[in-house]
Amino acid sequence: MRAVITGAAGSIGHACVQAFRNLGAEVVGVDVVPSAADEHHLIDLAGPDCGRELAAALSGRGVDVLVNNAAVGHGKDALSTGVAEFDAVVAVNLRAPFLLSCALHPNLSMNGGAIVNVSSVHALATSSPVSVYAATKGGLQALTRALALEWAPDVTVNAVLPGAVDSPMLDDGLRRAGKNLAAFEAAVPVGRVGQPGEIADA
């Protein structure tokens, strides 16, 4: 089994890398920054050629799973968000999954492969001030449903919608909101935030 995982250097991405390796998979990681823990392809997913770059790196090899996990957070309110900022978030969170999925479709369809898009609870029930981030995750949900219909039965397409997960993105959001983790977790029904490995298992 060969799995391609974007955002491989991040918390959930690294957990996905380990989970697939534990299953005996060959993992192809993708990120824009180097990782001390794992080797991966350095591809800027904000760029319009990211799909072609990844397809070229795979050289036509079959792919069983594509995990579109990479994302950038955006914690500014709508009125404070400029066009360039909006485009930057959309490029990574929504355009890149589209481009990568299309570029790897031939590889995935060789083996009846699967795409898993890591969306977010913000696609369904959001908070303030993350309007642009929420919009990209809502768009990723819609893209997931559309591609699942277009590409069945050759490629299956599903999404995972994490809630709050222990990660630098959560830490940054709590810092901006002036909240601490303990108070935040007290409001979570299970009394804690999720762990990256739990998302990887899903």
Side-chain angles (χ1 to χ4, degrees):
M1 176 170 57
R2 181 177 293 114
V4 176
I5 299 168
T6 70
S11 299
I12 294 175
H14 178 67
C16 288
V17 168
Q18 296 307 310
F20 276 97
R21 283 186 177 155
N22 290 342
L23 293 172
E26 175 192 344
V27 176
V28 178
V30 178
D31 210 301
V32 71
V33 295
S35 168
D38 300 294
E39 290 185 9
H40 52 250
H41 293 283
L42 298 177
I43 296 176
D44 183 3
L45 297 182
D49 295 322
C50 61
R52 285 193 291 271
E53 290 176 31
L54 181 55
L58 291 168
S59 302
R61 293 181 294 168
V63 175
D64 298 285
V65 181
L66 167 62
V67 179
N68 283 311
N69 164 70
V72 294
H74 184 71
K76 294 176 69 173
D77 65 87
L79 295 178
S80 300
T81 300
V83 173
E85 291 175 298
F86 179 91
D87 288 345
V89 178
V90 171
V92 175
N93 294 6
L94 183 57
R95 186 178 69 183
F98 172 77
L99 294 176
L100 297 181
S101 297
C102 290
L104 295 193
H105 180 271
N107 309 63
L108 288 159
S109 60
M110 289 182 191
N111 304 316
I115 296 171
V116 181
N117 293 322
V118 180
S119 181
S120 169
V121 67
H122 286 283
L124 303 175
T126 191
S127 58
S128 178
V130 292
S131 56
V132 177
Y133 178 81
T136 62
K137 292 303 185 176
L140 188 57
Q141 281 294 100
L143 179 64
T144 299
R145 290 191 293 268
L147 293 184
L149 292 172
E150 288 185 27
W151 292 349
D154 298 325
V155 178
T156 60
V157 187
N158 290 286
V160 175
L161 284 73
V165 176
D166 186 12
S167 66
M169 188 181 291
L170 175 64
D171 294 341
D172 185 55
L174 292 174
R175 179 188 54 76
R176 287 195 312 268
K179 298 178 181 177
N180 63 64
L181 182 61
F184 183 82
E185 288 184 318
V188 177
V190 296
R192 65 174 180 84
V193 297
Q195 293 300 310
E198 294 174 301
I199 310 307
D201 288 343

